Amino acid sequence: MSVELAYGWRPIEKGYSSGLDFLGLARPIEGILDAETSGITNATARARYFSIVPWYYWRYTQLGGEGSAAEQRRFAIGFEMLLAYANIAWLEKSGSAMSGIIRRDYCDKVWKEKRESLPLRDGDVGETPSPLDAAFYGPSLRRLNLLGRYSQFHTCRDAGLIMAEELDKNFRQLGGYDELVDASSVDTATVHEWADHLCLEQPTERETELLRALLFSFGDFEQDEIPPRVLTMMLFLNMGLTANAPFTSSTIEEALATGLDLSGAQFTPEPILKSTHTRWRILAMLKFLRHASELAFAAIHLHVKEGATRYANAEAAALDLIAQSIHENAELPQSYSDFLVGYESETLPPGWKPEGESPQIVLRHALKLCVWCHVLLRTEAGQTLLDDDMAKVGEHLDADLLGYYEQLEDLIEQDTEIALKWLCINRAIARHFQVAARKLVQHDTFRLIEDEEGVRATDKCSIADVAIRIDSILSLVADVKLLQRSDGGYLIVPATKPWFADHTVRIGSSINR
């Protein structure tokens, strides 16, 4: 057996660069997210997976007999396939668009072949992707007390049982209800019959009520303490109520970073949401600062990859890029403090993407993001963020908000060139080699390689979008009919304001008990 097969070694020359957290800046963000969203991830964007998946695992328990884990998995695969086919059929009939359908690629391909009989189980139907995968709904289904494990079996728990019994009242009336338990295929007519009942965007009124209660933890799903995700979703509704136009996750992220509401005025959250608002503001700032560091590194990577010069090391390449960036832009302030003054009147960020693709433009954009964040942190509202304990999360990784602020403050009396060196070398190159060294065996985090021949760049330097679960939260809230999807994002519906007011009182009473 070769070393590559035995240890997963990937020669650097192949250009593999699959590790997205190549500067080690994700962990503090993920740590705060896990504390604030409890059961929601970037992948859990469709609420009906929290009701339909428990239903078919409950159905398996109704079959009787001993069974096996393999038989249970085969059973579940059939309903995963049926759910995908049904949503594809619904989209075809309605002419709508929808995201978040698991197994869509395979099922869409089969559906377009216009077969009379569609595969459900066995044959070339794969084990994955599955809603129970760790990358999808698996951890959330367990955390929300919908599913559990007993030995190798998945079990339906108390919350899942409530969902399953409600859904079964409607599903048992449909054609193929009994046959689908073991069928290897399904005819298109049956899929069409199930389409309206399995559409991810069309829960029944009662199912919507149950999903709301599950996500916001009340009624049959009330817990002794209010889960953090409830306060997070309430915060986004609170912000949504200030909007006078459709809003998106980007709109909310910018409002969080600036402390404004969605109309551009100063935002004052409900008293019960004040701490949650502070922590989400810290998250938004960390996202922008992470992006700035990764853009700076991407600029160096591009400079090495596309330039004709062979540099002795990555630092030499960075210094050359800095010199060119300053030389090519006469409008770039000479001192960092002048840069700050220029952004004191700016409320909106410079933009997520640079205006161009040249290394110099990308690097200057990265510095603008840092300056914009620094200006916000120097305000009274920004200083409040630094007093929160969450501002120290990631301190051991030199990736905490307070640490960022202190390092940016040290640049006040420096030239812009020194600020660029801090960003390129301290925050980018040094961090990259530290992170890559920890994953040396696979080489999947290397973007720049230094050896006796100088510095080289791998094929790509993909930058993560740094999703902080706001997209999935807004989607879930829309699925339970407290927001409405529109071409421009999301809109408040008439029921939102009174519902929000009632549950603000409920949550406040629970917290003060």
Side-chain angles (χ1 to χ4, degrees), residues 160-343:
L161 179 61
I162 295 170
M163 293 291 186
E165 290 181 339
E166 178 59 35
L167 265 63
D168 199 60
K169 295 174 185 177
N170 295 318
F171 291 169
R172 66 171 48 253
Q173 310 300 322
L174 300 176
Y177 178 84
D178 293 318
E179 293 80 2
L180 288 168
V181 164
D182 191 52
S184 296
S185 61
V186 61
D187 59 79
T188 54
T190 301
V191 171
H192 280 294
E193 184 179 354
W194 282 76
D196 287 334
H197 299 271
L198 289 179
C199 173
L200 293 176
E201 292 189 353
Q202 297 292 322
T204 65
E205 184 176 344
R206 176 57 182 155
E207 185 184 357
T208 300
E209 292 173 358
L210 288 175
L211 286 168
R212 277 188 194 178
L214 173 74
L215 293 173
F216 287 90
S217 188
F218 65 90
D220 291 330
F221 308 98
E222 186 173 1
Q223 299 180 34
D224 293 337
E225 294 185 1
I226 301 295
R229 73 168 180 279
V230 174
L231 298 174
T232 289
M233 291 188 292
M234 290 292 286
L235 172 66
F236 295 159
L237 285 176
N238 194 179
M239 297 179 73
L241 287 166
T242 69
N244 47 30
F247 57 91
T248 65
S249 60
S250 297
T251 316
I252 288 182
E253 286 169 4
E254 292 176 4
L256 288 167
T258 58
L260 302 177
D261 67 18
L262 301 191
S263 71
Q266 197 65 38
F267 179 60
T268 303
E270 291 291 331
I272 61 168
L273 303 175
K274 185 176 180 181
S275 295
T276 302
H277 181 237
T278 295
R279 291 191 288 272
W280 273 94
R281 289 200 63 204
I282 291 170
L283 268 168
M285 296 294 285
L286 286 173
K287 169 173 177 167
F288 282 108
L289 287 165
R290 172 186 172 181
H291 188 52
S293 298
E294 292 181 346
L295 279 178
F297 184 86
I300 301 167
H301 179 277
L302 189 63
H303 191 57
V304 171
K305 186 174 185 297
E306 297 190 351
T309 305
R310 191 61 175 267
Y311 299 99
N313 51 50
E315 184 173 339
L319 293 175
D320 183 62
L321 173 59
I322 291 168
Q324 290 187 29
S325 299
I326 294 173
H327 176 73
E328 291 180 8
N329 192 339
E331 297 180 1
L332 199 67
Q334 183 176 354
S335 72
Y336 180 76
S337 59
D338 288 342
F339 220 146
L340 279 178
V341 171
Y343 269 88

Side-chain angles (χ1 to χ4, degrees), residues 28 53 84 107 196 244 299 306 354 369 377 390 408-409 424 446 489 508:
V53 175
C107 292
D196 287 334
N244 47 30
E306 297 190 351
L369 282 171
L377 289 172
M390 284 289 186
L408 288 167
E409 282 289 291
C424 289
F446 275 106

Side-chain angles (χ1 to χ4, degrees), residues 25-36 279 282-283 286 385-386 388-404:
L25 296 172
R27 282 175 60 189
I29 295 173
E30 292 298 319
I32 300 175
L33 282 173
D34 287 342
E36 295 301 310
R279 291 191 288 272
I282 291 170
L283 268 168
L286 286 173
L385 302 184
L386 301 176
D388 193 277
D389 288 341
M390 284 289 186
K392 296 180 182 178
V393 172
E395 184 176 10
H396 66 295
L397 298 170
D398 190 23
D400 59 307
L401 187 62
L402 181 59
Y404 272 113

